[in-house]
Amino acid sequence: MENKKRVLSCIQPSGMLTLGNYLGALKNWKSMSEEFDCIFAVADLHAITVRQVPKDFRQHIYDTFALLLSIGLNPEENILFLQSNVSQHTELAWLLSCYTQFGELSRMTQFKDKSLKHADNVNLGLFAYPTLMAADILLYNADLVPVGSDQKQHLEITRDIAARFNGIYGDVFKLPEPYIGKSGARVMSLQDPTKKMSKSDDNVNAWVAILDDEDTIIRKFKRAVTDSEAKVCFKEGKDGINNLINIYSAVTEKTVAEIEKEFENKGYGDFKTAVAESVADALKPVRENYKMFISDKAELERIFRSGAEKAEAIAIKTLSKAMKKVGFIR
Ligand code: TYM
């Protein structure tokens, strides 16, 4: 028990979570939860870097927490909580911000993308976002952080900040490793497979929601953009098919070679149906569990409060240690 590696990851409560969130992160969370000491949180503080409508925001937090339970994470064996319920996250974020350079934050691609997208609200929180994320990870001395490949740069800056702090004060923080799955690490838009699948896409056919029903999932995959070669194989220039192969591989755990063989003499229509059905089947239990969990908010609250207590017991130790090293009186 003692020697189990610690895993930490978080997800923003951004309303409808997508198949990208599921294959890039949540599916791995579930499989890792059986082997490691896992801590997972809803990153509600990160979500206010863009404007939220309070009533919807609150609902999205409940929805996202219910989804964590729906994918099968056990709150007795893992720590599941809301980031804003453990105040050490913001406290450590401030400390770390004084060891984070303006230049390195300016290079973050997510900051650059989001500042273009929300040009009327390029706020300090958006800029400092990676420092809060570093605090989430470093508070718990995580060994592994399961994320999609879009978060890799944030993991690198977390390591840089931790190494810089340790360089001055000795061994305070553990340097975490990203855990990025092979096939689901970057699920692309079904309508423009050169772009990441994201629920902020205006075209609803571009993304599949974890809670979409079977008919919707099948319709969206049938409309997925492909090419005119009519050959199911993974190669450069076939972005649409490559994306479908990746999705199918992540869901079924078949290799690319196995998939190419399976569809050797079949057309895109058959392939799209097979991908859609595999996704719909994988998400069906999540959808069913979700209905049950979201109908009992009092129970959700009980679970996330109990998770926050367990998280805080760990977080408080790391924060105190770091602050004492800097010279604060605790
Ligand atoms: P977020 O909420 O945008 O996404 C949650 C997880 O889903 C992954 N993901 C994808 N993976 C594959 N293909 C896609 N199209 C796709 N879209 C999203 C993300 O990589 C992520 O793993 N900053 C983080 C949340 C966060 C966090 C942390 C993560 C806050 N603190 C500490 C790890 C550790 C974020 O915005 O993820």
Side-chain angles (χ1 to χ4, degrees), residues 114-134:
K114 286 210 176 166
S115 359
L116 285 177
K117 209 162 173 187
H118 305 276
D120 57 337
N121 184 21
V122 185
N123 59 69
L124 176 59
L126 191 63
F127 189 61
Y129 182 112
T131 321
L132 179 59
M133 181 159 160

Side-chain angles (χ1 to χ4, degrees), residues 75-91:
E76 305 302 325
E77 283 162 24
N78 306 282
I79 300 180
L80 308 177
F81 68 105
L82 307 182
Q83 182 192 31
S84 66
N85 287 183
V86 179
S87 60
Q88 288 77 16
H89 289 246
T90 37
E91 292 178 68

Side-chain angles (χ1 to χ4, degrees), residues 8-12 20-21 24-25 43 46 110 129 133 136-137 145-151 154 184-187 196-197:
L8 176 130
S9 200
C10 306
I11 187 161
Q12 290 197 57
N21 295 128
H46 277 105
Q110 186 170 308
Y129 182 112
M133 181 159 160
D136 298 339
I137 299 169
V145 184
V147 283
S149 58
D150 62 325
Q151 296 299 317
H154 290 157
R186 196 167 168 81
V187 176
K196 188 181 85 165
M197 180 182 283

Side-chain angles (χ1 to χ4, degrees), residues 89-102 104-105 124 127-132 134-135 161 164-165:
H89 289 246
T90 37
E91 292 178 68
L92 184 63
W94 169 254
L95 205 75
L96 297 179
S97 71
C98 300
Y99 300 82
T100 308
Q101 298 303 307
F102 183 90
E104 58 190 346
L105 287 176
L124 176 59
F127 189 61
Y129 182 112
T131 321
L132 179 59
I161 297 168
R164 187 172 302 137
F165 195 95

